[in-house]
Amino acid sequence: VGTYGGFFEENFRKMYPAFTEEFGVEVESVSQPTSEVWVTQLQQAIAAGGAPPADVSMLSGVGLQRAINGEILATYRTSDIPESENLAEGYIKTDDADNVTGVGGLSWYITLVSNTDRVKESPDTWTAFWDPQWENELALLRNAANSFLLEITATCFFDGYEILETQDGILEVMGKLQEVKPNVKLWFRDEAQAQPAYNEGEVSLGQFYHDITLFAASEAGGGAPLRSVFPTEGAIIDTGFWSISKTTEELGACVAFIDYMCRPDVQQELALTLGTIPSTKRETLTMSDEEYEAVAGPGPEVALQPKYEMYDELEDWIDQNWTELILS
């Protein structure tokens, strides 16, 4: 089973012995890079006829779509995962024939994160990224398809996503986003690259993962001097979908694992350990409102949803323009 490396994988690994005890299925935990890179690795292994690097992988919304397009996933029926009835709306992805391609394992927020030693009072709006006071102080995700900075810019300056419906509109949004470049000190690939920069105050402010920030700030011995703020325009919500590699020899075990991960008690343990948002309905959970609010903030329904289909349909065009206009 592959999950994102670092903090995620370390904590997921602790969840697997209980599954093994109940089902007699050994789980080997694999640390995987960003979904975009991982899908390419899965594709190459499957095309070469070898065993996939993982039987079950956690893929972002964009990663899942790319895996579906690449025809590298095994599918099954919703009736094979009865526990999925606990899931909130939108967490089961199916193909045209109504076969399951991905199941939401959990969601997480990207919020405004700051180093409290360097930022005494955090801004509460994404528009802070454009403020000249943060020159050479920001950390932002470097890929268009996992930073969702296009959605953030469209929300802040263009009254919403409608402008992202056309290529001309996307270019206009990128033009506005170019204005943040003097403020960016670090364009980071993943959490492993950004975490030390935030912890040590190499950067003051930027976007980062709410769950990882909470965890780092609460660690024994004082924790890191970090703060996560939900912007008034809405945090970005993204989801990790469990998906199964087409060439797995253990389809039954994979489906049983995904079904197990849909249980409310498992989802609750993940939320309280990882600080992630449960993919099960609120009423299935016994956690207190205070505990729920700590991980879910003002709630998934007021978050900014990524425009996954845009990155899927225009992948190469967006990447090319992003590299030229934003990263150059």
Side-chain angles (χ1 to χ4, degrees):
V1 175
T3 52
Y4 304 119
F7 158 78
F8 246 55
E9 189 266 335
E10 286 160 25
N11 284 284
F12 265 105
R13 201 186 315 150
K14 297 172 191 163
M15 305 285 293
Y16 301 152
F19 170 76
T20 299
E21 203 172 305
E22 187 171 335
F23 290 90
V25 174
E26 287 286 339
V27 177
E28 182 189 341
S29 186
V30 177
S31 169
Q32 61 178 64
T34 61
S35 288
E36 289 76 16
V37 175
W38 189 240
V39 169
T40 303
Q41 291 178 12
L42 290 170
Q43 273 174 315
Q44 288 167 345
I46 289 168
D55 294 303
V56 179
S57 298
M58 181 172 278
L59 299 179
S60 67
V62 174
L64 178 66
Q65 196 53 58
R66 289 179 183 176
I68 291 167
N69 296 348
E71 298 180 356
I72 58 168
L73 300 182
T75 59
Y76 49 98
R77 306 300 288 182
T78 311
S79 55
D80 296 331
I81 45 168
E83 292 286 347
S84 66
E85 70 179 26
N86 299 306
L87 298 181
E89 203 177 325
Y91 281 110
I92 298 178
K93 297 292 184 195
T94 53
D95 62 15
D96 296 339
D98 226 24
N99 294 307
V100 178
T101 52
V103 174
L106 46 84
S107 293
W108 56 85
Y109 290 120
I110 297 174
T111 55
L112 261 176
V113 169
S114 55
N115 178 296
T116 54
D117 290 342
R118 295 189 58 159
V119 182
K120 293 307 168 204
E121 196 177 327
S122 176
D124 65 354
T125 167
W126 292 119
T127 58
F129 291 167
W130 281 260
D131 189 328
Q133 74 162 311
W134 303 112
E135 187 179 347
N136 202 32
E137 299 266 356
L138 299 183
L140 301 179
L141 278 150
R142 70 174 288 119
N143 291 338
N146 72 358
S147 67
F148 310 114
L149 286 163
L150 294 176
E151 287 91 333
I152 288 170
T153 307
T155 299
C156 290
F157 298 102
F158 299 96
D159 297 328
Y161 290 1
E162 204 175 305
I163 191 165
L164 299 173
E165 295 295 331
T166 66
Q167 285 173 294
D168 286 346
I170 294 168
L171 287 176
E172 198 178 331
V173 172
M174 282 191 193
K176 183 65 186 174
L177 185 57
Q178 279 184 304
E179 296 171 14
V180 305
K181 286 163 66 170
N183 290 355
V184 181
K185 185 173 189 179
L186 174 67
W187 290 103
F188 63 93
R189 277 186 319 277
D190 51 32
E191 60 165 272
Q193 192 185 12
Q195 185 82 65
Y198 276 115
N199 288 2
E200 290 150 29
E202 284 173 40
V203 294
S204 297
L205 179 77
Q207 54 174 181
F208 201 50
Y209 301 103
H210 176 65
D211 51 311
I212 296 171
T213 304
L214 288 186
F215 184 80
S218 68
E219 278 194 291
L226 301 178
R227 178 202 295 115
S228 171
V229 170
F230 286 83
T232 51
E233 302 87 2
I236 289 276
I237 189 168
D238 198 9
T239 298
F241 292 94
W242 295 117
S243 60
I244 303 176
S245 300
K246 186 164 73 173
T247 51
T248 180
E249 292 174 7
E250 306 291 347
L251 184 60
C254 295
V255 172
F257 172 82
I258 291 173
D259 190 51
Y260 175 81
M261 288 309 226
C262 294
R263 289 185 190 176
D265 59 319
V266 175
Q267 282 291 318
Q268 180 157 310
E269 189 182 339
L270 277 173
L272 296 175
T273 309
L274 285 165
T276 49
I277 309 156
S279 51
T280 47
K281 301 181 187 100
R282 172 70 184 100
E283 63 269 18
T284 65
L285 305 167
T286 57
M287 62 206 288
S288 70
D289 288 345
E290 196 180 349
E291 286 171 326
Y292 186 76
E293 196 177 311
V295 297
E301 55 283 349
V302 296
L304 300 180
Q305 298 283 345
K307 202 167 157 57
Y308 296 129
E309 66 283 0
M310 171 177 74
Y311 300 104
D312 177 41
E313 289 161 17
L314 299 171
E315 178 185 355
D316 294 338
W317 181 85
I318 287 177
D319 287 348
Q320 185 190 339
N321 283 285
W322 182 267
T323 302
E324 287 173 14
L325 300 173
I326 308 299
L327 296 180
S328 63

